[in-house]
């Protein structure tokens, strides 16, 4: 009731307004012209490819960067936060993609971190407990124990703690950056319910996501960013997806899942009842030349562990791995690479790439032979080889010597994939290759996978995103609690059947 | 938008990246030459010979330390290892070993020390800081034990003494053989780090160990090799220490490891691993030697030098951080 009155009173004044915001870093123009408005109690999604300027925008709102030009207003007053604390005190809270909790502190300590109720530096513990409990209650999650350390809770619960933290104080705007990227379906539903509750309280939400279907479900309005400019804004209910995608990439995407004619050849990789330390329990499959084999399943089902055990990064407890029909179960990663098997890590930043090294170093790390003369690496050859891969993979960067940390997520992923191509791998183990990258780069990666299969390469494609699995793969298996189902032709699966198998509803082939 | 402008800016950044330590060296030389009394002496060949000779031990140690720090490790045992190897070399000479046998055995002893460091660090997955901190005590104690708690004097006629001897002290040339050895080794290690697969793997491990493993690099083996190789260089530094003092002194080179680490860090290496260069580290070692030499000639006391060098380290790393943050977008 009160909320409604307030909404009516402030209807003409948007909660947050950005107009003509610009920001450059050296010669890079991250934001050229960004304008949008968010009303009180509105869920506003920001859509754009990686590198479109979303993160810079967030950093301006959180006080990490200052805009070069343009105006930001919070409830009609100029808003230029000097630092993250200032932004939060003004009522703007951030929830980052990578959670920013202190892992060794308790849930309660984390919720009130930086805002501890205190008098002359003395902590008021009972008040802190009360505030933390209130915040969790507001999210309907009183079940999370306040005394548990944060690192003992699941990712989904940690995210709820993070949201609870954002609710401390007079929060007016909550900004969420890709909040569902590491959540399961059920936790995602739960998050949407929480967003609904925040909206009822009159909190405005700026929501960043690559999952357009998700945006359609929860958003009131949207703004599309492209190359640092806001190119379109409107009501989500009236928008259609192909149009939004076209705004994002600036060109119509013809076929997002292109098919290249390819046929199955000889078997190149076989798992027979592969089992790791705890996961997988039993994974059997046969991968052929020219085949794209998808592995679906929930996060934590054991898909990543299967690939890592096969590649030699985790131990194999039992089972057999055959490469080109000869037994090769226990091998080091170096030996796998020598046999033409390459792994793309699901975690680009922590494992996939050397972030502070150059593109050239990252691309060529596993195969220096053709770049060397008399055992000495020739820098010119390394740069030339890197340039060729940059052109072929459409990696947008200034120079082969540029550090990969400066690239957008999509371009980084292309560099990580490029390393396997430069290595001339013939069997690709791709773990979530399209996670957290923009639609344009995704389409390029699908195309690349199709081309590789047409050349007779074999690919195992692990993904949590069902449309892409169904769109790209020839065959699909579903992993549930460490057990891989029978691998069947893709057209025998539907999203519904895969989901049922992933949550253990269908009878798995092996047990 | 002019497409070439970001590229140009990028190259300027790279130039600053490479040339940064050089600017530092020129700046330090320039500052000392402001004093008209010091200037005529500072720029003489004889003085440069002294500076170079004083740099040699830190420089040779910094060659190995650069490899270790770039790989994401650290070695705190260098000072003690230099003391132990210098005592060992002196003892061998006194016991009647030939010069060549002494040189080979002492350098190998240094390599053995590094091998032990590497095996413990890689084999038990222990933090290098702790392992080498422990080794610092072990080696210092061993040096005192081996020397019987006193210095081991070698005959002044021993050929080893020529290694660091200053012949015709008013001219730059001839430089002591130790200086040439250090320059030659710097070239070799620099090429090793930049142009060989072994060297690229050092950078890979320091930048991201998980990536290195993913790319098939045998990280533990590689680490053992890095520490062993650095150990050989420390053995050589021990010989140079012996030659400079013409005696094996078990209490020598206390805190040398900190000078070496400072030289590497002033030269642009990150203690987080993944970045650094031999050229930078050598320049860093020279900056420290010039600071010492210049301060002496200004008539500044020892404590002043220590304060100045401490401040220079902080400024150098501070500038580096600033530069890194500007590079990042």
């Amino acid at each position: 009731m009160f909320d409604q009155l307030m909404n009516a009173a402030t209807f003409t004044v948007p909660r947050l307004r950005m107009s003509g915001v610009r920001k450059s870093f050296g010669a890079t123009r991250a934001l050229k012209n960004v304008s949008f408005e968010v009303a009180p109690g509105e869920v506003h999604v920001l859509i754009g490819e990686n590198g479109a300027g979303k993160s810079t925008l967030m950093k301006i709102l959180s006080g990490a960067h200052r805009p070069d030009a343009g105006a930001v207003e919070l409830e009609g007053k100029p808003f230029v936060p000097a630092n993250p604390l200032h932004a939060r005190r003004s009522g703007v809270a951030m929830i980052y993609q990578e959670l920013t909790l202190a892992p060794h502190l308790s849930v309660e300590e984390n919720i009130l971190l930086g805002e501890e109720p205190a008098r002359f530096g003395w902590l008021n513990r009972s008040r802190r407990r009360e505030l933390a409990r209130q915040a969790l209650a507001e999210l309907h999650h009183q079940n999370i124990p306040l005394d548990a350390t944060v690192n003992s809770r699941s990712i989904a619960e940690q995210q709820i703690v993070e949201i609870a933290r954002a609710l401390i104080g007079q929060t007016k705007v909550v900004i969420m950056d890709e909040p569902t990227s590491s959540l399961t379906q059920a936790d995602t539903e739960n998050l949407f319910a929480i967003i609904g509750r925040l909206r009822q309280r009159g909190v405005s939400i700026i929501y960043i996501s690559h999952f357009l279907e998700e945006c359609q479900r929860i958003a009131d309005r949207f703004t599309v960013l492209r190359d640092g400019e806001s190119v379109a804004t409107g009501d989500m209910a009236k928008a259609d997806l192909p149009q939004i995608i076209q705004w994002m990439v600036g060109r119509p995407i013809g076929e997002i899942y292109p098919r290249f004619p390819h046929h199955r050849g000889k078997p190149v990789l076989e798992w027979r009842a592969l089992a790791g330390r705890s996961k997988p329990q039993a994974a059997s499959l046969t991968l052929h030349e020219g085949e794209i084999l998808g592995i679906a399943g929930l996060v934590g089902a054991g898909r990543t562990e299967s690939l890592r055990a096969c590649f030699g990064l985790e131990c194999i407890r039992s089972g057999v791995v055959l490469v080109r029909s000869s037994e090769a179960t226990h091998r080091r990663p170096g030996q796998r690479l020598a046999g033409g098997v390459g792994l793309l890590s699901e975690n680009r930043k922590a494992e996939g790439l050397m972030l502070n090294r150059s593109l050239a170093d990252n691309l060529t790390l596993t195969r220096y032979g053709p770049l060397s003369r008399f055992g000495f690496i020739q820098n010119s050859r390394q740069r030339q080889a890197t340039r060729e891969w940059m052109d072929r993979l459409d990696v947008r960067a200034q120079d082969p010597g540029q550090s990969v940390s400066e690239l957008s997520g999509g371009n980084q992923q292309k560099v990580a994939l490029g390393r396997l191509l430069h290595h001339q791998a013939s069997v690709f183990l791709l773990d979530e290759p399209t996670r957290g990258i923009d639609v344009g780069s995704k389409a390029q990666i699908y195309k690349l996978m199709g081309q590789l299969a047409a050349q007779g390469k074999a690919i195992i494609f692990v993904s949590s995103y069902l449309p892409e699995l169904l769109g790209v793969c020839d065959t699909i298996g579903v992993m549930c609690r460490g057990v891989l189902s029978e691998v069947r032709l893709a057209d025998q699966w539907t999203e519904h059947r895969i989901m049922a198998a992933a949550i253990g509803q269908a009878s798995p082939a092996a047990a | 938008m002019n497409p070439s402008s970001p590229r140009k800016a990028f190259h300027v950044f790279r130039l600053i990246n490479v040339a940064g330590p050089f600017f530092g060296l020129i700046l330090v030389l320039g500052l000392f030459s402001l004093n008209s009394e010091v200037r005529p002496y500072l720029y003489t060949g004889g003085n440069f010979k002294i500076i170079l000779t004083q740099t040699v031990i830190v420089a040779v140690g910094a060659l190995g330390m650069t490899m270790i720090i770039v790989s994401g490790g650290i070695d705190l045992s260098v000072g003690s290892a230099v003391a132990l190897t210098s005592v060992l070399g002196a003892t061998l000479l006194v016991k009647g070993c030939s010069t060549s046998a002494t040189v080979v055995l002492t350098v190998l002893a240094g390599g053995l020390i590094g091998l032990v460091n590497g095996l413990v660090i890689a084999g038990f997955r222990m933090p290098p800081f702790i392992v080498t901190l422990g080794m610092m005590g072990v080696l210092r104690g061993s040096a005192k034990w081996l020397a019987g708690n006193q210095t081991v004097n070698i005959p002044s006629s021993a050929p080893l003494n020529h290694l660091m001897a200053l012949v015709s002290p008013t001219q730059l040339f001839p430089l002591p053989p130790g200086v040439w050895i250090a320059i030659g080794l710097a070239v070799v290690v620099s090429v090793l780090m930049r142009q060989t697969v072994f060297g690229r793997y050092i950078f890979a491990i320091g930048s991201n160990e998980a990536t290195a493993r993913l790319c098939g690099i045998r990280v533990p083996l590689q680490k053992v090799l890095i520490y062993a190789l650095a150990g050989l260089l420390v053995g050589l530094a021990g010989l140079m220490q012996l030659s400079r003092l013409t005696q094996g002194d078990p209490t020598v080179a206390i805190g040398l490891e900190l000078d070496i680490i400072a030289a590497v860090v002033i030269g642009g290496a990150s203690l987080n691993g993944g970045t650094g260069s031999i050229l930078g580290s050598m320049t860093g070692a020279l900056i420290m030697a010039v600071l010492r030499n210049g301060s002496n000639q200004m008539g500044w006391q020892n404590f002043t030098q220590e304060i100045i060098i401490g401040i220079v380290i902080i400024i150098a790393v501070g500038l580096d951080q600033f530069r890194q943050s500007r590079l990042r977008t």
Side-chain angles (χ1 to χ4, degrees):
Chain A
M1 176 70 185
F2 177 69
D3 285 344
Q4 282 168 358
L5 278 176
M6 231 178 59
N7 280 354
T10 55
F11 189 70
T12 47
V13 182
R15 179 62 58 77
L16 185 81
R17 199 165 80 89
M18 292 189 119
S19 54
V21 171
R22 286 159 215 271
K23 176 76 190 170
S24 301
F25 299 97
T28 314
R29 297 212 288 170
L31 296 180
K32 289 177 201 159
N33 182 8
V34 174
S35 307
F36 69 94
E37 287 179 4
V38 187
E42 172 185 322
V43 178
H44 194 104
V45 293
L46 284 180
I47 310 170
E49 295 188 288
N50 276 349
K54 288 171 302 187
S55 47
T56 311
L57 200 62
M58 294 306 101
K59 283 179 179 163
I60 285 175
L61 287 176
S62 73
H65 292 319
R66 277 164 177 275
D68 298 335
V72 186
E73 287 170 13
L74 184 66
E75 296 186 319
K77 298 186 204 81
F79 174 64
V80 186
N83 55 49
L85 184 63
H86 179 190
R88 192 170 154 189
R89 294 253 159 93
S90 313
V92 177
M94 303 279 301
I95 293 161
Y96 291 98
Q97 190 175 3
E98 275 104 25
L99 298 179
T100 56
L101 299 170
H104 300 101
L105 298 186
S106 72
V107 169
E108 177 185 326
E109 285 165 324
N110 266 291
I111 292 176
L112 273 300
L113 198 62
E115 300 276 338
E116 290 85 354
R119 177 176 296 221
F120 308 122
W122 287 99
L123 200 60
N124 185 342
R125 281 175 187 275
S126 54
R127 175 98 184 107
R128 183 175 73 178
R129 204 167 184 81
E130 184 53 37
L131 286 172
R133 186 172 291 137
Q134 271 175 19
L136 283 179
E138 223 167 311
L139 302 175
H140 296 220
H141 276 275
Q142 302 95 317
N143 55 328
I144 301 176
L146 289 172
D147 293 321
T149 55
V150 154
N151 58 8
S152 68
R153 313 312 299 177
S154 71
I155 293 284
E157 285 186 334
Q158 290 185 22
Q159 193 173 44
I160 289 162
V161 172
E162 181 114 13
I163 297 172
R165 184 162 84 176
L167 293 183
I168 298 297
Q170 296 297 310
T171 306
K172 295 167 189 155
V173 181
V174 175
I175 302 162
M176 297 185 178
D177 187 6
E178 294 270 358
T180 58
S181 58
S182 49
L183 294 187
T184 60
Q185 199 94 27
D187 291 327
T188 303
E189 292 302 322
N190 192 6
L191 178 74
F192 289 170
I194 288 174
I195 289 174
R197 267 171 231 138
L198 293 178
R199 172 205 262 158
Q200 275 173 5
R201 251 184 50 157
V203 174
S204 303
I205 291 159
I206 299 177
Y207 188 93
I208 299 174
S209 177
H210 285 304
F211 300 105
L212 294 181
E213 293 86 350
E214 191 177 295
C215 297
Q216 246 178 343
R217 270 197 53 196
I218 60 159
D220 300 313
R221 281 155 38 82
F222 68 91
T223 295
V224 179
L225 291 182
R226 185 177 76 227
D227 298 333
E229 276 180 277
S230 43
V231 291
T233 187
D235 286 344
M236 201 74 214
K238 293 179 198 152
D240 71 326
L241 286 186
Q243 176 64 55
I244 290 180
I245 292 175
Q246 189 169 336
W247 275 322
M248 286 168 72
V249 296
R251 60 182 183 273
I253 288 196
E255 177 76 270
I256 195 165
Y257 303 118
R259 306 294 298 197
F260 290 84
H262 56 273
H263 65 276
R264 242 191 216 206
K266 289 179 297 212
V268 285
L269 181 71
E270 285 171 67
W271 299 350
R272 293 195 188 143
L274 187 67
R277 188 167 283 148
S278 65
K279 283 181 279 186
Q281 302 275 322
S284 302
L285 57 77
T286 306
L287 178 70
H288 304 82
E289 286 173 350
E291 178 181 2
I292 304 178
L293 191 159
I295 300 182
L298 299 177
V299 175
R303 299 168 302 168
T304 296
E305 291 83 352
S306 305
L307 293 191
R308 294 176 71 83
C310 168
F311 191 66
L313 282 165
E314 279 175 26
C315 78
I316 294 175
R317 184 161 45 85
S318 65
V320 178
V321 176
L322 289 93
V323 176
R324 291 182 195 85
S325 302
S326 55
E327 194 273 337
T329 306
H330 299 281
R331 294 289 184 274
R332 286 191 306 272
Q335 293 169 311
R336 283 282 184 248
L337 281 167
V341 180
L343 173 71
L344 182 85
S345 171
E346 61 162 347
N347 197 335
R348 233 177 7 251
K349 288 186 173 145
E351 182 175 48
L353 293 169
M354 307 179 284
L355 287 178
N356 64 354
R357 302 301 304 171
S358 67
L359 266 93
D361 281 347
N362 273 286
L363 256 164
T364 59
L365 181 61
T366 57
R367 186 161 161 265
Y368 283 120
L371 315 175
S372 310
R373 186 185 289 166
F374 311 122
F376 294 104
I377 298 157
Q378 306 288 306
N379 289 350
S380 56
R381 288 194 196 179
Q382 194 186 13
R383 288 176 66 86
Q384 195 195 337
T386 308
R387 270 202 193 286
E388 279 167 22
W389 285 118
M390 282 165 69
D391 288 344
R392 279 171 69 178
L393 297 172
D394 190 26
V395 176
R396 294 190 202 153
Q398 292 159 6
D399 189 278
Q402 191 180 11
S403 136
V404 289
S405 61
E406 296 164 29
L407 304 185
S408 70
N411 285 318
Q412 287 182 348
Q413 193 69 311
K414 288 187 216 164
V415 172
L417 259 173
R419 180 195 296 144
L420 301 183
L421 297 176
H422 173 74
H423 186 78
Q424 298 187 327
S426 53
V427 180
F428 292 77
L429 311 176
L430 306 182
D431 198 356
E432 300 278 5
T434 61
R435 177 187 282 176
I437 68 174
D438 53 89
V439 178
S441 299
K442 277 185 188 177
Q444 286 172 324
I445 286 177
Y446 301 142
K447 189 173 157 202
L448 179 69
M449 288 168 66
Q451 287 167 339
L452 288 170
Q455 292 164 20
K457 315 273 197 224
I459 298 171
I460 294 184
F461 178 24
V462 164
S463 170
S464 301
Y465 185 57
L466 301 183
E468 68 178 11
L469 279 177
L470 289 165
V472 170
C473 297
D474 304 311
T475 51
I476 295 176
V478 181
M479 196 153 220
C480 174
R481 296 175 206 281
V483 179
L484 185 65
S485 76
E486 187 194 343
V487 175
R488 288 182 229 157
L489 289 174
D491 50 23
Q492 295 176 14
W493 291 100
T494 61
E495 284 195 37
H496 185 79
R497 280 191 199 148
I498 292 178
M499 217 52 232
I503 59 176
Q505 291 298 306
S507 60
Chain B
M1 199 170 72
N2 179 1
S4 76
S5 63
R7 197 134 151 196
K8 203 180 281 171
F10 174 74
H11 281 293
V12 170
F13 273 130
R14 266 225 313 202
L15 187 71
I16 295 173
N17 229 350
V18 173
F22 272 121
F23 289 142
L25 183 59
I26 291 163
L27 187 70
V28 169
L29 280 168
L31 283 178
F32 279 121
S33 66
L34 288 179
N35 185 318
S36 57
E37 285 171 37
V38 168
R39 198 184 314 138
Y41 182 70
L42 187 71
Y43 288 115
T44 58
N47 190 45
F48 272 110
K49 176 186 276 189
I50 291 171
I51 291 175
L52 288 173
T53 311
Q54 284 170 342
T55 312
V56 165
I57 293 172
V58 170
V60 171
L63 293 177
M65 191 68 86
T66 306
M67 289 194 283
I68 290 173
I69 287 180
V70 167
S71 79
I74 192 105
D75 186 354
L76 298 178
S77 68
V78 176
S80 300
V82 163
L84 178 59
T85 48
S86 81
V87 168
L88 178 72
T91 312
L92 287 172
L93 280 181
V94 169
K95 293 259 162 76
C97 266
S98 71
T99 306
S100 50
T102 305
V103 168
V104 170
L105 287 174
T106 309
V107 170
L108 283 180
L112 185 69
I113 293 167
L115 186 70
V116 171
N117 275 337
L119 284 173
V120 176
I121 289 164
F124 297 103
R125 295 192 178 188
M126 284 177 68
F129 188 96
I130 302 300
V131 173
T132 56
L133 184 69
M135 283 296 275
M136 182 165 113
V138 170
L139 300 176
R140 180 69 66 183
S142 307
K144 290 177 180 169
W145 180 31
L146 180 64
N149 244 335
Q150 53 195 347
T151 58
V152 182
N153 294 307
I154 58 174
S156 56
S157 60
L160 201 59
N161 287 339
H162 296 309
L163 198 57
M164 302 287 276
L166 297 172
V167 186
S168 58
T170 57
Q171 289 164 325
L172 183 56
F173 295 105
L175 285 169
V179 174
W180 291 116
I181 291 173
I183 293 172
L185 283 174
V187 173
V188 170
V189 178
S190 185
V191 170
L192 179 79
M193 287 189 73
R194 293 164 57 93
Q195 311 295 145
T196 69
V197 174
F198 174 77
R200 303 319 298 171
Y201 284 2
I202 299 177
F203 282 94
I205 291 170
S207 179
N208 190 340
E209 212 172 301
T211 311
R213 213 170 290 126
L214 182 76
C215 290
I217 298 172
R218 298 173 73 180
V219 176
L221 177 72
Q222 187 85 9
K223 279 188 178 172
V224 170
L225 287 175
I226 292 167
Y227 280 91
L229 202 55
L232 292 175
L233 291 161
V234 169
L236 183 65
L239 277 176
M240 289 172 164
Q241 184 69 56
L242 170 61
S243 163
R244 194 162 131 195
L245 297 180
T246 69
Q247 61 182 16
D249 181 354
T251 61
V252 83
I254 288 173
L256 176 70
E257 59 279 345
L258 300 182
D259 276 1
I260 293 174
I261 292 168
V264 174
V265 168
I266 290 174
S270 159
L271 286 179
N272 294 325
T275 55
S277 72
I278 292 296
L279 192 62
S281 299
M282 295 300 99
T283 315
L286 264 179
I287 288 176
M288 303 237 297
V290 169
L291 276 174
R292 290 236 160 81
N293 181 280
S295 307
N296 277 334
Q297 287 170 30
M298 299 288 275
W300 291 341
Q301 302 237 31
N302 204 29
F303 55 77
T304 321
Q305 296 179 23
E306 286 171 2
I307 291 170
I308 289 174
I309 289 176
I311 291 171
V312 165
I313 293 171
I314 294 170
I315 291 175
V317 177
L319 283 177
D320 196 61
Q321 293 280 348
F322 176 72
R323 207 185 60 215
Q324 298 282 343
S325 67
R326 288 299 298 272
L327 266 175
R328 220 168 284 138
T329 49

